[in-house]
Structures are given as structure tokens and as C-alpha cells.
Amino acid sequence: MKISTKLLLIIILATTLIGATALLGVVATANLLEDQTKEKYIALSTYAIEKVHRLFTRRAEDIARFARDRVIASRSSSPRQKSEKLKNYLQHAGSYLPFASISFFDLQGRRIAGTEGNADGAQSPFPAYRAGFMQGRSFLLEASRSEPSGVSAFHFAQAVKDGSGAPFGVIVADLPVESLQEIVRRPLGLFKVGSQFAVDLIDANGRILFSSYNKEGVLREISQIFPVVQQASAENGATGTVLLPDPSGKNDRTIVVFAREAGDATSPGRDWTLVISLPERAALAPLMALKNRLAWVFIAVGSIAAGIVLMLSRTITRPLARLSSALAEVGQGNLDVVVKVSSRDETGRLSAVFNSMVGELKHLHGQLHEAASVDSLTGALNRKKIDEILRSEVERSQRYNGPLSLILFDLDHFKSINDTHGHLSGDDILRTLTGVIKDNIRRTDYLGRWGGEEFLLLTPGTTLEQAAELADKLRKRIEAFRFPVVGSVTVSCGVAAFRDNDTGNDLIKRADDALYRAKDRGRNLVEVFG
């Protein structure tokens, strides 16, 4: 066989190997990045539905506390006394999405007292309350839409019992459906796809409770996407994604991301599902651009390799083998590969181009990893990452019986700051607050943004008493710090420590209860769950 034929075969073989390995690298990397992108959207929807769950749980706790008040729970209290008490509750409620109004009805459905209007004596439009309470239930959650105004609201109803435990009335508190807009607005802002997002909150029967685009369908219609989400949820669990074909036959599919709120049997919003829909082209546009860039880079590498083999088959054989091996490792996800540049000829330049390409891939992969782990606004760890660390540290404490404490921070009156100075100033304060906390904690501590103006600080190796001292130190440092525009701000803190057989949720629940007490007792306080 002629040498030229051998060289041609070498060229064909080398080019085929490089092309195949390059294709595997492109496909493997693209699939990995696509999975990570979808996971980010799932995390977004999970965060939003958890926020809805926490809001409704807190509001249910609020109304249960109202019903136990000695004035409200007294048969001898006058309607005026009850109205004043309810108004006082409404004025001192938390600033984040409070009730719009609260009313007291007797068991016949007549309004006795309330926070707004002069509708005393009016009949309750929700007979289901009385029927439910007659069946022994103490709490009910309903939703209704007023016509012709189109205003929709959730109605929290709690039985009021006297000292002997006998029910004699019902407290009904209204929460506007549009309040949920605040919950979904901020997480959606993390992804720059604008109005192409479609967001629905649906109940267990598919009824639309909230919609970012179908206002007229709220509480009137069954979501068209409900059957698809119901089937996918039955197959994949509480979260997942579904890819819907374009009904027009064009290649413009839709990604549907869903997260269902399970909770327990008594949870408000049991089996509600948050659904986010957006065009696949918009959702994966950065990934598609990266795939095209990778394809062109690999094509260029293959072309250069073929030319070098044609000129110097012997001197290129070993470098190509090294490149082929390195490309295979890249295809398997190893981005730490570096090919030695042993010459200044074409093979050396090819190796340099490969190293540059892998460096760019590693940089892009690092950016995606950071975006999946770090809150883009504050630089603290995001909810998903701090959850992972919490689970790991709880397992470590269980295994080695070591101390572990958790501090929840909540910025006091943050809504007032946003309303007065604007959301940009609010964002600056959150960033500055993160910096103040980071400057005053150890490298072994973990600071994460838990949601909105709430932060979670995990302190491994720290007892409850030490964590309480740290929380009070941070509270004082924050209070003394001069923030831009507003000057001074304060935080409320809840502290809890790991106990035997604890889960991460147990630890968070106790810290959250302590934080709630700090808020309830006047804010700018540290409360410890002993």
C-alpha cells in the first residue's frame, strides 16, 4: 500500500475519531447544561409554591390566634369591642401580605363586627362555613370572586369558642388573590425572558386560583394545562417538567415546569400546584447559543487536526492521541484536562486552542454552577444550596454527635423601605446587609438567602448559647451600621440548635417559630427556641 494511501487512511481515521469524540463532548456537555437549566426552573417554581405555603400557613396561624383572644372569645364582649380588637390586629399585623379585612359572624351567618364598613347584620355569602363547623372542623379556607368587579379573594375562616369550648361564632379574614403577584414577581425576575412567562396557581381540582395572564379565568375556569400536569405529577412526583409540542406543527415547543404543595392533611393549600410555562426557545436560548459555539469550536479543532496530519503524520500522531483522550474526558464531564503544548508548530497551536476551549468551557460551567448555588442579588448562597448544606450538616451532627445551630434573620419593615425608597434602594440594603453579616462570621459558617428579606445562617460546631450570642452581636452590628439612603435598619432573629433525631425541617421550624416571636414582641430582638 502506498504511503500516500496510508496517510490518507490515517487522515480519515484521525478525523473520524476526533469528530466522533468532539460530537460526544458536545452532546454530553449540552445535555448536562440542559439538565441544570431545567433544575433551575424547577427550583424557581418550588421556591414560589413553598412561599405560598408559608404565607397561607402563617395567615392560618394568625386567624387561629385571633380566635383565642379573650375579647373575641368572650360572649359578653360587645360588637364594638370585637371590632376594635380586630382593627387593632389588622393594624399590627406583619407588613408582608397581610389580610385585607377581618369580620366576626355568628353561627347563623350574620356579621356582628369587623374592620371595615358598616355592614353589621349582613348575611355571610359563604354557607359552607357553618356546614363545615357543624361537622366538627375548626378551620376552613374558601375562595370567591365578586361580580361585576372581578375582585377575587381567599377567605380564612376559624371557629370561635367560649371558655367551655362551645363554638358561638366565626372569624373570616380576606386575603386578595392579587397578593400572590408579589410572591411570583421576584423569582421570575431572575430569568430575563420577560412576558414570555405564564404562571398559574391551581387547586387539586384544576381550578385557577391565580394567573399572571388569564385574569378573567381566576376562580371561574379549569386550567387547560391541568390534565398534563396531573399525569406528569402522578408519574414523576411533586416536581417536574413537561415538553409540549407546538399545536401548529412548527418546532416551537413549550416547557411546562410544575411544583405541587403537598404538606399534611390540615395544610392550607393542600395539593395546590404552581405551573410555569414558557417557550423552549426562550428558556434554553443561552444553552443553544453555547451548543452552537461548541460545535464550531470542535469543527475548527477537527479541521486543524486533519491539516496537520496531512503534512506531518508522524509528528501529529501522538498529540492527536493526547487530544482524543482529552476530548473523551471532556465528553465525560472532566473539565480539568490540560494538554501539554510541546511544540510551536500546528500541533502545539492545536493543543493551545484545545486548552483555551476547555478553559472557556470550565469558565462557563463555573458560571452555571455559581448561578445554581449563589443568590444573584446578594451573593449569599441560594435556597437550594443552603438546603443541601443543611442536610449534610444535620447528617454530620447525627453521625458525630456534634453541636449545630441555625439563625434565621428577617429585615424589619422591609416593605416600608421598598414603598418609601423604591426597590432599587431595597436591593442595595439587602446586598449591604449580606456584606455586614459575612464580615462578622467565620469561614466555616454558611450564609444563605432564605427568601425575600429572610436570611439563614448555619453555624456548625456552635451551641445554642453561642449561636444566641452571635445572633445578638450581628443584630447590634447591623443596627449600628449606616446603610445607604435609609441610614439605620434592624433585624429580628430566631435561634435554634440541633436535637437528636432532628431533620433539617425540624431545625428550621423551631428557628422560624423563634423568629415569629421576635417579630410579635416588637422586632429588633433575638429569640431562642430552647
Side-chain angles (χ1 to χ4, degrees):
M1 186 180 293
K2 293 182 179 180
I3 294 178
S4 59
T5 304
K6 292 181 178 180
L7 288 175
L8 180 60
L9 291 175
I10 291 174
I11 293 171
I12 294 173
L13 178 61
T15 304
T16 302
L17 288 174
I18 292 175
T21 308
L23 180 60
L24 289 174
V26 171
V27 172
T29 303
N31 288 340
L32 174 64
L33 297 180
E34 182 174 343
D35 290 341
Q36 290 180 344
T37 300
K38 289 181 178 179
E39 286 179 4
K40 289 168 64 177
Y41 284 112
I42 291 176
L44 168 67
S45 60
T46 302
Y47 164 81
I49 194 65
E50 287 178 353
K51 196 73 173 177
V52 172
H53 169 69
R54 292 177 62 196
L55 169 67
F56 276 70
T57 299
R58 286 191 176 182
R59 292 299 164 262
E61 292 171 351
D62 286 343
I63 195 171
R65 191 173 68 255
F66 299 165
R68 294 192 300 268
D69 181 86
R70 61 183 183 83
V71 173
I72 301 299
S74 172
R75 291 179 182 267
S76 61
S77 298
S78 67
R80 180 176 179 181
Q81 289 175 314
K82 283 182 168 59
S83 292
E84 291 299 322
K85 196 67 176 179
L86 293 176
K87 290 177 182 178
N88 184 62
Y89 276 134
L90 204 58
Q91 290 171 357
H92 295 86
S95 60
Y96 184 69
L97 304 182
F99 291 124
S101 64
I102 312 175
S103 299
F104 181 96
F105 294 88
D106 63 18
L107 292 183
Q108 285 69 46
R110 292 187 299 270
R111 186 177 186 272
I112 304 301
T115 58
E116 62 177 28
N118 295 314
D120 293 345
Q123 194 72 19
S124 168
F126 309 108
Y129 295 157
R130 184 181 181 189
F133 294 141
M134 293 299 288
Q135 296 171 5
R137 299 175 64 182
S138 295
F139 173 81
L140 290 169
L141 177 63
E142 296 286 340
S144 72
R145 181 185 181 101
S146 299
E147 302 296 352
S149 65
V151 176
S152 303
F154 297 102
H155 309 286
F156 293 71
Q158 177 71 42
V160 180
K161 301 178 181 180
D162 59 19
S164 66
F168 70 97
V170 181
I171 287 184
V172 180
D174 297 336
L175 182 69
V177 169
E178 282 303 310
S179 298
L180 300 184
Q181 180 69 28
E182 175 66 19
I183 291 179
V184 301
R185 181 179 60 83
R186 281 190 174 274
L188 292 186
L190 297 177
F191 297 92
K192 300 178 180 179
V193 293
S195 60
Q196 297 179 81
F197 265 113
V199 182
D200 290 302
L201 179 65
I202 56 180
D203 65 15
N205 298 315
R207 184 176 58 158
I208 300 174
L209 301 176
F210 169 81
S211 178
S212 65
Y213 63 95
N214 183 13
K215 308 296 184 184
E216 293 300 317
V218 172
L219 301 180
R220 285 176 169 172
E221 301 175 2
I222 300 297
S223 172
Q224 295 182 358
I225 204 69
F226 175 62
V228 175
V229 171
Q230 189 178 38
Q231 180 180 351
S233 180
E235 295 173 354
N236 303 319
T239 62
T241 60
V242 181
L243 195 60
L244 298 182
D246 187 349
S248 66
K250 299 179 181 178
N251 189 25
D252 192 11
R253 299 180 296 183
T254 299
I255 292 180
V256 176
V257 184
F258 65 89
R260 188 180 74 247
E261 194 287 299
D264 55 42
T266 62
S267 294
R270 168 77 173 177
D271 284 333
W272 288 2
T273 303
L274 188 81
V275 183
I276 301 176
S277 307
L278 69 163
E280 180 185 31
R281 187 173 302 173
L284 303 180
L287 178 60
M288 297 302 178
L290 177 60
K291 289 171 65 175
N292 291 336
R293 291 176 62 190
L294 290 174
W296 282 111
V297 168
F298 282 121
I299 290 173
V301 171
S303 300
I304 295 174
I308 295 174
V309 170
L310 182 60
M311 293 183 294
L312 299 169
S313 60
R314 184 171 182 176
T315 58
I316 201 173
T317 302
R318 291 178 181 176
L320 278 181
R322 290 196 295 266
L323 281 172
S324 179
S325 175
L327 281 169
E329 290 190 49
V330 171
Q332 295 173 0
N334 181 11
L335 299 181
D336 292 321
V337 176
V338 176
V339 176
K340 181 180 179 181
V341 180
S342 56
S343 65
R344 296 183 179 180
D345 59 10
E346 291 84 354
T347 59
R349 290 197 295 273
L350 178 61
S351 299
V353 169
F354 173 84
N355 289 336
S356 175
M357 176 195 69
V358 173
E360 182 180 5
L361 280 175
K362 187 175 182 179
H363 176 69
L364 291 172
H365 185 270
Q367 287 181 325
L368 284 173
H369 179 74
E370 181 178 357
S373 302
V374 177
D375 177 60
S376 60
L377 174 63
T378 64
L381 298 173
N382 62 22
R383 176 68 175 267
K384 180 181 178 182
K385 186 63 178 179
I386 199 69
D387 264 339
E388 293 175 356
I389 295 173
L390 175 60
R391 287 195 298 270
S392 175
E393 291 299 329
V394 165
E395 292 174 359
R396 188 194 306 274
S397 293
Q398 290 172 340
R399 187 180 304 115
Y400 300 110
N401 198 29
L404 173 66
S405 296
L406 185 148
I407 305 172
L408 277 179
F409 297 86
D410 190 280
L411 188 60
D412 296 331
H413 305 295
F414 185 66
K415 184 176 184 300
S416 298
I417 293 174
N418 276 338
D419 291 345
T420 303
H421 302 284
H423 290 285
L424 292 179
S425 295
D427 291 347
D428 287 339
I429 290 171
L430 291 177
R431 282 190 288 266
T432 305
L433 175 65
T434 302
V436 173
I437 296 175
K438 284 184 174 180
D439 289 342
N440 289 278
I441 60 177
R442 306 170 303 176
R443 291 186 177 181
T444 55
D445 296 334
Y446 300 97
L447 176 64
R449 187 178 181 193
W450 194 241
E453 65 272 24
E454 280 190 322
F455 292 81
L456 185 151
L457 179 61
L458 194 61
T459 59
T462 302
T463 65
L464 182 64
E465 292 75 18
Q466 292 170 333
E469 291 177 3
L470 173 60
D472 199 54
K473 169 190 168 184
L474 292 171
R475 181 190 65 79
K476 291 176 181 177
R477 292 285 174 86
I478 292 168
E479 185 179 16
F481 190 86
R482 305 305 297 173
F483 285 79
V485 182
V486 299
S488 178
V489 301
T490 61
V491 294
S492 299
C493 308
V495 185
F498 173 79
R499 297 175 180 175
D500 290 341
N501 301 320
D502 257 354
T503 65
N505 288 337
D506 295 333
L507 190 55
I508 291 171
K509 176 64 168 58
R510 293 200 299 275
D512 196 51
D513 289 344
L515 174 60
Y516 194 88
R517 287 204 305 269
K519 288 286 189 181
D520 198 42
R521 294 179 180 177
R523 298 180 173 86
N524 193 21
L525 295 173
V526 174
E527 285 289 332
V528 177
F529 196 107

